[in-house]
Each structure stands twice: as C-alpha cells, then as structure tokens.
C-alpha cells in the first residue's frame, strides 16, 4: 500500500514538473510586455530570437544601450506587438503558439499567444474546391471583362490565367495535423486548456510508468534472491541443528573419544567448505553452549574441534577489524579454547574498548581470579559495565580470593583500584581491611568514595572512628557515604558526632546523619523530634521520612 | 509419561526432545507459547517444561493459564536464564513447581523430571478396567 501511494505521488509530481514555463504579461492593453529574467550568458540577440522580436527594440523599450555582449540587467521587459503576439479573439489561431497569461480582476486568464516565428500561416489543404473554382472563374471573368473592354478579343483567345493562390480571410490550420476547430477553441477560454497539455502529460506519465515498472522489477528480483538465500539458510540450519543436537545427547564416553562419532549430514558436507556455513555452525554451537553445561557442553567443544572450526576463530583473532577480532575472542572463550590464552591475554590492553572487554572476559573465563592479573598491565580504564560483567563472572566461581589485591590497590590506574575495592566488598575479603583503610587517603575522591563503601562490608571495631577522623577533609558526596556507612558500622560512640551533623548546611547530610543516628542511638527518635519541634523545616520532613522508613 | 516442552530456540528444543525420548518419555515439542497452550489443551501432558521468554505467550502466561485452569495438577518446570531471579519468583507465586537456570545439565534436568514421575500417584485398574486410586 505504501509503495502504491509513493508511485501515485511521484506520478503527480512528474506531471507538475513537466509543465512548461508560463508567460505572464504586464502593462496595459495597448502596451503589453513580458518580464524576462535574464539568465547568465544571455544577450539581446538570444532573447530577441526567443521572443521573435528585434534585439534593438528590446534595448530601446528598456531604455538601455544596445550591445552584443553579455547583459548586466537582471530583468528585461520584452514588448508584445503584432510581430510576436496574437491576441485572444483574433481568430488567427495556430497550434504551437505559447499562451500568454494576464491577471485581471484577481483571476489569471489567457489574453493571447506568443508567436515565436516558428509557424507561418499557409493555405488549408481542405479549402473548398468550389470556392477555388468560383474564385478562379471570377478572376478569369474579370480578366475576360478587362480584355473585352480593351481590345475586344474573342473568347477563344482568352488566355486562362493561372489562378492566384486563394488567401482566405479567415486563416485555418495549415495541415490536418494542425487543424483545429475554431468554434471549440473560441469556446474554451480561461486558465486551463487541456488539449495543449494532454500530449506532454501523457509522455510524462508513460515515462514515469516505465521507470516505476523497472524499479518494481528490480526490487522484486532483489527480494526473490534474498528469499532464496534465506530459505537455503533455513534448510541448512535444520541440518546443523540435527547434527549438534545428536552430539549433545551423546553420553557414551568411549564413542565420544572417537572421531567417527560426529557424522556430517550429506547436505552439510557438500557446503561445509563455505565460510558462511561454517560460521552458521559456530553460531549454533555457541547458542547451545550458553544454555548447557556438563557432558553436553563437553560434547559441543569436541564437535567444534572435530569440525576444524578453531581455524576460523583464530583467523578472526588475527583480523585487523575490531569487531571481527572481538567475535573471534568470544568464540574461543565460549568453546573453552584455553590454549589460546596467551594471544588473547595480549588483547586485554587493546586500544579498542570492545576487543579489550571481550579479551578480559575471556581471560577471567579461562583463569578465574588468577586471570585478573591483566589488571597489573592495564593502562586503559575499566568501564562500570565491564566491572559489573567481570564481578558477575567471578561470582559463579567457588574460589573467592583475589591474588595480589594489595598491589592492585596501589595501581596508578584509578579504575583498577576501584574495581579491586568492589571485588573486596562483594567477596568480603576481611583480610584486606587495612589496605582499604589506606585508600581513604587516596588522591582521587572516587577511589575514596568506593573505599568508604567497601568498609560497609569489611569493617572492624576501629572502622567507625577512622571514618569519623577523615570526615572533615572529605567532599560532600563522600561525607554522605561516610554517614551511610556509619549507619551500619557505627555505635553509641558516634552519637555526639552524628548529632552535630544534624545542623550542617546541606540537607542531604542532615538526613544521612539522622538515619545513622537512629541506628546508633536508642533515643535518637525523641532527639530528632525535639529538634524538629524547635527548628521546624527541614527537620519535620526528616522526621517524617525516618518514621516512614521505620514502619516499612 | 507425556512431557510437553515449550522452547523457542530450535537447537535447545531438539536437544531436549532427543534426550527425553532417550529416557523413555513421550515428548510434545512446541516452539512458541501459543502452540504450547493449544497442545496442553489437546494432549493433556503429565509434565510441562517451559522457557520463560518466548514469542506469542511467555512461560509465565503458560504457568498462569495451567495453574488457574482445569490442568492445575500438571507439574511445571521453568527454564530461566541468569539474571531472571525475579521472574522465577513470580513463576513460583503463580504455581510453578521447579526451575532450572541456564546453563543447565541435561542429566540434572532428567533427574528432576524423575522426581516428579515418582510423585505421580500409581493407578490400579479394577478387573473391569476402571482406575481406582490406591488406599493410603
């Protein structure tokens, strides 16, 4: 439906653009002219030829000096005279003249026709023979009468004079193809003269229709090729699914060890040399590998190796294009090709972010926590998203210890320090408490922030006091983090400190301090209530917020 | 025992079908939720294994329809991906009986199915062929 509407719109646009330039006359009925916009390289002569008027007349009419060179004027008035203009009402109408329009009483109408001198009026072929013969007779009689009156010769000696060409007072069309019915032509006046535009309209329509059908044909051909390729791929996919699913459920270990286990279906065997088919098999293997573990997953890896698909993945790893390289790394990781760990490890500090991410995930997949040794060589930052992905991968492992964490906390790459703090926090590595405390004095406020957050999960008896000590030197965001941590790690010893924070300028600090006070001090609610009644806003809101939190 | 599997991934569907047939079960394989609902009505399976994310009707909708309908006694095992814990909780609230997270082991799934088979009451036939529930 959309295609049909587009075609119809193009059809009308083409018809509109196919129309010729309109000549609009100006001036009075006795002094008509056409405004002509001078194009570049136009001269008086070229304009004169166009309008069938002498170039000198144009120059004179516009009070300009005539010359043969390029015109500087932008607009010229081209006078309309009997030489180049035929008025409407004058019945000397010859097809092929260009209509001239003029606005009168708010309406645009045709006042005449521009005669460019291309057509000359001639005798009509269908001029009546009777008329002709009678006119000949008249002329002969006239000559005879004259002859008689002069010399009185006999009739027999009258020489028949060749009849003069009859020039009809009313000039009609010169030939059949140019004949028009004057009555009809005189009846049809005004803006729209369909007969004159019909030819051009139909030629535009035919051209557009041909182009449209060619385009439709091309689109149809393209779609049919695509469909054929899609159906072929679907058929192949059926065979691939059959092959892989048979491999998955194979649980006989002796059989699995033999190469004859995996029989390629004939359909697949023929086309297995094709790169696309091999890629299809790899993609399906990866899909299955993501959903399965245990013996079935091992079978998939064996099938991958048996079919020689490792070569394809290695080729991708060597590619210069980052997206192909990343795909290769992903395939090798999913298919547990840990012998490729070294070339993949080199990509963990690649300048391309996506290659880096895939390589880091692959190394963690192969080596677990030990795989995180790439953090020692990493010069690029680890994005928050990548950190979440790696922590999720690590959380599936049974071991929970990060080797050389204290060295990583001293890394010059701040994102590495932050990532290490997150790992320590998530996996509750209490042994690293003192190293995390050192991070409270780090240059970077984000590192300090994450160190404060980390202490929520690995605190001891001294943590609250340490946080209290660094509080005054911290930025607002970190102060709020300290107060939130004190909510967990604080005790009654922090009550006075927290009470003082209720009177800080920042409302977020007031709220965080009030929340922490509630946890640390048993009478905190009454205390805050008193402050609220004395001071009013924002303590009333804070109290209301805390009470709501308590009821939830 | 008739087991209905609803899984939109063709490879996984085929693998599960082959595995369960190998275990001796009759398998009805459906590759979308709509087909699964139709087949549940037609063939009345003894156990349903359904993925959560499927076209037309999700696994949760299947669980809801089965547990609120006349087939509410059919046990349902839900296949979920990692990170879909909340959806699994929702499935349990709607009445799902068990869940398996991907990546999973086919052997583990087969053992879970056997547990449901053991829980099915044994039917004793009278001489005339009318089934009678065992006296407990």
């Amino acid at each position: 439906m959309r295609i049909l509407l587009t075609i119809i719109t193009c059809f009308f646009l083409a018809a509109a653009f196919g129309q010729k330039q309109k000549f609009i006359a100006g001036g009075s009925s006795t002094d008509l002219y056409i405004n002509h916009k001078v194009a570049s390289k136009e001269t008086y002569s070229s304009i004169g030829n166009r309008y069938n008027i002498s170039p000198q007349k144009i120059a004179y009419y516009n009070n300009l000096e005539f010359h043969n060179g390029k015109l500087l004027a932008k607009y010229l008035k081209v006078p309309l005279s009997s030489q180049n203009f035929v008025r409407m009402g004058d019945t000397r109408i010859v097809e092929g003249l260009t209509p001239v329009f003029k606005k009168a009483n708010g309406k645009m109408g045709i006042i005449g026709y521009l005669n460019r001198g291309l057509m000359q009026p001639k005798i009509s072929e269908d001029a009546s023979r009777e008329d002709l013969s009678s006119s000949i007779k008249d002329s002969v009689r006239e000559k005879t009468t004259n002859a008689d009156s002069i010399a009185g010769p006999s009739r027999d000696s009258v020489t028949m004079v060749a009849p003069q060409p009859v020039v009809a007072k009313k000039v009609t069309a010169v030939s059949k193809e140019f004949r028009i019915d004057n009555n009809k032509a005189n009846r049809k006046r005004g803006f729209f003269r369909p007969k004159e535009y019909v030819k051009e309209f139909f030629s535009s329509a035919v051209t557009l229709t041909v182009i449209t059908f060619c385009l439709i044909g091309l689109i149809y051909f393209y779609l049919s090729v695509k469909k054929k390729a899609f159906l072929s791929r679907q058929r192949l996919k059926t065979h691939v699914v059959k092959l892989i699913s048979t491999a998955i459920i194979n649980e006989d270990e002796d059989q699995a060890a033999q190469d004859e286990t995996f029989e390629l279906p004939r359909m697949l065997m023929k086309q297995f040399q094709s790169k696309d088919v091999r890629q299809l098999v790899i993609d399906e293997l990866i899909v299955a590998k993501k959903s399965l573990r245990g013996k079935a997953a091992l079978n998939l890896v064996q099938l991958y190796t048996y079919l020689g698909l490792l070569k394809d993945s290695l080729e991708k790893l060597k590619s210069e294009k980052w997206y192909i390289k990343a795909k290769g790394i992903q395939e090798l990781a999913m298919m547990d090709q840990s012998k490729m760990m070294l070339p993949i490890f080199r990509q963990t500090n690649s300048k391309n972010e996506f290659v880096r991410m895939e390589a880091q995930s692959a190394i963690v997949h192969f080596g677990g926590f030990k795989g995180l040794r790439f953090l020692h060589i990493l010069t690029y930052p680890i994005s928050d998203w990548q950190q979440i992905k790696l922590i999720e991968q690590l959380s599936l492992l049974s071991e929970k210890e990060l080797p050389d964490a204290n060295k990583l906390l001293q890394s010059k790459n701040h994102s590495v320090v932050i990532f290490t703090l997150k790992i320590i926090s998530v996996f509750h590595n209490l042994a690293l408490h003192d190293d995390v405390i050192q991070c409270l004095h780090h240059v970077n406020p984000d590192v300090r922030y994450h160190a404060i957050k980390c202490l929520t999960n690995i605190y001891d008896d001294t943590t609250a006091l340490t946080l209290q000590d660094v509080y005054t030197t911290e930025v607002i965001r970190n102060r709020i983090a300290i107060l939130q941590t004190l909510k967990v790690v604080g005790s009654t010893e922090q009550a006075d400190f927290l009470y003082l924070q209720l009177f800080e300028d920042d409302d977020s600090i007031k709220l965080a301090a009030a929340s922490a006070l509630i946890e640390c001090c048993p009478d905190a609610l009454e205390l805050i209530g008193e402050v609220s009644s004395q001071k009013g806003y924002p303590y009333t809101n804070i109290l209301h917020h805390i009470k709501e939190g308590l009821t939830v | 025992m008739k087991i209905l599997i609803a899984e939109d991934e063709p490879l996984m569907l085929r693998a599960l079908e082959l595995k369960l047939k190998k275990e001796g079960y009759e398998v009805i394989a459906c590759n979308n939720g709509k087909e699964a609902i139709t087949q549940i009505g037609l063939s009345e399976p003894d156990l349903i294994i359904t993925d959560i994310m499927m076209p037309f009707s999700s696994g949760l909708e299947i669980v809801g329809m089965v547990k609120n309908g006349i087939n509410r006694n059919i046990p349902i095992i839900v296949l979920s991906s990692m990170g879909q814990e909340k959806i699994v909780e929702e499935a349990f609230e709607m009445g799902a009986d068990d869940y398996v997270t991907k990546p999973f082991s086919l052997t583990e799934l087969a053992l879970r199915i056997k547990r449901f088979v053991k829980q099915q009451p044994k039917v004793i036939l009278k001489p005339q062929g009318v089934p009678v529930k065992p006296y407990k």
Side-chain angles (χ1 to χ4, degrees):
Chain A
M1 188 62 191
R2 276 184 201 170
I3 296 170
L4 187 64
L5 281 168
T6 311
I7 291 165
I8 291 167
T9 311
C10 291
F11 180 81
F12 281 107
L13 281 170
F17 281 120
Q19 294 195 20
K20 277 188 176 173
Q21 178 197 1
K22 262 189 206 169
F23 289 107
I24 301 173
S28 63
S29 57
T30 52
D31 182 25
L32 290 167
Y33 60 83
I34 289 176
N35 271 319
H36 174 80
K37 188 178 176 185
V38 179
S40 62
K41 297 182 185 177
E42 261 194 325
T43 60
Y44 284 114
S45 302
S46 64
I47 296 171
N49 286 337
R50 193 176 175 189
Y51 289 95
N52 190 26
I53 188 167
S54 89
Q56 287 88 348
K57 272 190 185 171
I58 297 172
Y60 178 77
Y61 192 81
N62 287 275
N63 293 321
L64 295 169
E65 209 175 290
F66 173 74
H67 60 84
N68 283 323
K70 187 178 153 185
L71 285 170
L72 295 174
K74 282 188 181 174
Y75 289 94
L76 286 176
K77 291 180 182 174
V78 179
L80 296 174
S81 62
S82 57
Q83 185 185 349
N84 62 353
F85 181 66
V86 176
R87 284 188 185 273
M88 196 76 184
D90 188 336
T91 54
R92 287 194 298 136
I93 297 169
V94 178
E95 194 163 314
L97 298 180
T98 310
V100 176
F101 297 87
K102 194 172 190 298
K103 206 169 185 178
N105 299 327
K107 288 183 185 175
M108 194 69 79
I110 298 177
I111 56 162
Y113 294 87
L114 188 67
N115 180 9
R116 297 187 186 186
L118 300 172
M119 301 297 298
Q120 296 297 329
K122 290 182 186 173
I123 303 168
S124 166
E125 282 179 3
D126 288 345
S128 166
R129 289 195 181 275
E130 283 182 9
D131 289 340
L132 195 60
S133 59
S134 63
S135 64
I136 292 168
K137 281 177 190 171
D138 285 338
S139 65
V140 167
R141 203 177 294 126
E142 200 179 288
K143 289 194 184 292
T144 311
T145 310
N146 288 339
D148 283 344
S149 65
I150 294 167
S154 65
R155 281 181 195 266
D156 294 331
S157 66
V158 167
T159 311
M160 294 295 287
V161 177
Q164 299 295 319
V166 177
V167 179
K169 280 186 185 173
K170 292 186 181 180
V171 174
T172 56
V174 295
S175 64
K176 277 186 189 173
E177 64 191 63
F178 293 116
R179 189 187 319 152
I180 59 170
D181 184 351
N182 280 334
N183 290 331
K184 271 193 188 168
N186 285 336
R187 247 184 272 136
K188 285 181 185 172
R189 295 181 189 209
F191 175 71
F192 188 63
R193 302 294 289 253
K195 229 172 189 176
E196 283 144 22
Y197 294 102
V198 161
K199 209 176 171 183
E200 284 170 20
F201 186 81
F202 273 114
S203 66
S204 306
V206 165
T207 313
L208 186 66
T209 309
V210 167
I211 293 169
T212 306
F213 276 107
C214 287
L215 276 171
I216 290 172
L218 272 168
I219 292 167
Y220 181 78
F221 175 73
Y222 173 73
L223 287 174
S224 63
V225 166
K226 288 280 275 183
K227 187 180 176 185
K228 203 176 169 184
F230 173 76
L231 289 173
S232 166
R233 193 178 166 87
Q234 289 298 103
R235 278 194 294 271
L236 262 173
K237 201 173 174 181
T238 315
H239 292 284
V240 169
V241 162
K242 195 176 166 186
L243 167 71
I244 296 174
S245 53
T246 315
I248 285 171
I249 61 160
N250 195 339
E251 288 179 337
D252 191 329
E253 289 189 7
D254 292 333
Q255 263 195 312
Q258 295 170 14
D259 286 345
E260 290 88 21
T261 305
F262 308 117
E263 277 182 37
L264 274 179
R266 272 186 202 172
M267 168 82 175
L268 209 57
M269 224 186 299
K270 286 179 198 174
Q271 304 198 32
F272 206 68
Q273 299 307 314
S274 159
K275 221 173 180 181
D276 290 335
V277 172
R278 295 166 76 83
Q279 189 57 47
L280 174 65
V281 175
I282 293 175
D283 291 340
E284 289 299 319
L285 282 170
I286 288 174
V287 163
K289 184 71 168 50
K290 281 181 183 172
S291 303
L292 295 168
R293 60 180 171 86
K295 186 70 182 72
L298 283 172
N299 288 349
L300 289 169
V301 173
Q302 280 176 351
L303 179 61
Y304 172 83
T305 316
Y306 171 74
L307 293 174
L309 298 170
L310 174 62
K311 201 171 58 176
D312 296 70
S313 301
L314 281 176
E315 257 181 55
K316 289 191 189 94
L317 182 62
K318 290 172 190 168
S319 170
E320 291 298 319
K321 293 174 186 167
W322 66 266
Y323 51 94
I324 298 177
K325 190 177 275 200
K327 179 101 171 89
I329 294 171
Q330 191 195 46
E331 286 171 11
L332 291 167
M334 286 307 301
M335 287 295 128
D336 296 336
Q337 300 299 310
S338 50
K339 49 192 174 187
M340 296 299 134
M341 204 164 164
L342 189 56
I344 293 174
F345 187 86
R346 289 193 199 111
Q347 303 300 330
T348 53
N349 200 33
S350 166
K351 59 183 176 185
N352 183 281
E353 185 189 356
F354 297 100
V355 171
R356 224 169 36 239
M357 280 166 57
E358 283 298 337
Q360 290 167 5
S361 298
I363 293 299
V364 168
H365 178 78
F366 292 141
F369 276 91
K370 287 180 188 161
L372 289 173
R373 67 179 190 275
F374 69 82
L375 293 173
H376 293 281
I377 62 162
L378 194 60
T379 54
Y380 294 97
I382 315 175
S383 66
D384 287 342
W385 173 244
Q386 178 66 354
Q387 291 179 23
I388 291 168
K389 263 182 64 183
L390 291 173
I391 289 175
E392 191 184 21
Q393 268 184 275
L394 294 166
S395 62
L396 296 171
L397 305 171
S398 51
E399 57 165 321
K400 305 289 179 197
E401 204 172 314
L402 175 62
D404 297 329
N406 47 358
K407 282 186 187 169
L408 290 173
L409 287 174
Q410 291 163 24
S411 170
K412 286 179 186 172
N413 188 334
H414 296 161
S415 66
V416 169
V417 179
I418 289 170
F419 178 54
T420 309
L421 286 167
K422 283 183 183 174
I423 291 178
I424 294 169
S425 175
V426 166
F427 296 106
H428 297 263
N429 289 357
L430 296 163
L432 293 162
H433 174 267
D434 292 341
D435 297 286
V436 173
I437 291 286
Q438 291 302 314
C439 291
L440 291 176
H441 305 285
H442 198 277
V443 168
N444 188 298
D446 286 333
V447 171
R448 297 198 303 269
Y449 173 82
H450 283 95
I452 295 164
K453 285 292 186 186
C454 179
L455 288 169
T456 314
N457 289 331
I458 57 161
Y459 62 93
D460 64 11
D461 298 335
T462 62
T463 306
L465 278 169
T466 311
L467 287 172
Q468 217 174 298
D469 290 339
V470 301
Y471 180 84
T472 47
T473 58
E474 276 297 349
V475 297
I476 298 288
R477 183 191 176 212
N478 289 4
R479 285 190 187 185
I480 294 169
I482 288 173
L483 292 169
Q484 287 167 347
T485 305
L486 286 175
K487 191 175 168 184
V488 176
V489 312
S491 62
T492 49
E493 285 178 28
Q494 277 70 49
D496 293 334
F497 165 75
L498 290 169
Y499 182 75
L500 282 171
Q501 305 317 310
L502 284 177
F503 305 102
E504 281 288 318
D505 297 330
D506 194 298
D507 289 344
S508 306
I509 289 183
K510 287 187 180 94
L511 179 60
S515 302
L517 198 58
I518 292 289
E519 296 297 327
C520 298
C521 181
D523 301 325
L525 199 59
E526 286 170 26
L527 215 59
I528 296 168
E530 276 174 29
V531 173
S532 156
S533 54
Q534 283 170 19
K535 303 265 182 180
Y537 178 83
Y539 297 98
T540 43
N541 289 21
I542 289 170
L543 184 64
H544 179 70
H545 183 86
I546 287 169
K547 279 183 179 174
E548 269 194 353
L550 286 172
T551 51
V552 167
Chain B
M1 187 179 179
K2 237 188 278 186
I3 300 179
L4 183 134
I5 311 171
E7 167 64 66
D8 60 323
E9 184 49 54
L11 183 54
M12 285 308 301
L13 181 62
R14 177 108 176 117
L16 285 168
E17 189 184 357
L18 287 175
K19 175 69 181 175
L20 295 178
K21 275 183 178 171
K22 207 173 172 181
E23 296 287 319
Y25 302 111
E26 188 185 332
V27 178
I28 306 156
C30 308
N31 64 1
N32 63 68
K34 195 177 173 185
E35 196 188 331
I37 290 167
T38 311
Q39 286 297 332
I40 289 167
L42 287 173
S43 46
E44 293 180 6
D46 300 303
L47 177 78
I48 298 170
I49 301 172
T50 174
D51 191 12
I52 286 182
M53 295 296 180
M54 280 192 297
F56 303 114
S57 291
S58 71
L60 286 181
E61 286 175 33
I62 293 173
V63 171
M65 284 183 74
V66 168
K67 293 298 177 183
N68 291 328
I70 54 168
N71 317 81
R72 60 173 74 91
N73 292 325
I74 302 177
I76 302 178
I77 300 175
V78 166
L79 300 176
S80 71
S81 302
M82 274 192 58
Q84 290 182 332
E85 288 83 20
K86 286 203 171 167
I87 296 176
V88 170
E89 283 171 21
E90 213 179 309
F92 271 117
E93 280 169 19
M94 290 171 97
D97 297 274
D98 201 357
Y99 81 100
V100 172
T101 309
K102 292 178 186 176
F104 63 91
S105 159
L106 286 173
T107 315
E108 182 188 327
L109 179 65
L111 288 169
R112 284 173 187 264
I113 291 169
K114 271 188 184 159
R115 187 165 66 87
F116 285 106
V117 171
K118 283 179 186 170
Q119 284 175 2
Q120 291 277 333
K122 284 185 186 172
V123 174
I124 301 164
L125 290 175
K126 268 188 175 176
Q128 289 82 13
V130 175
V132 171
K133 277 189 182 172
Y135 176 75
K136 284 189 179 174

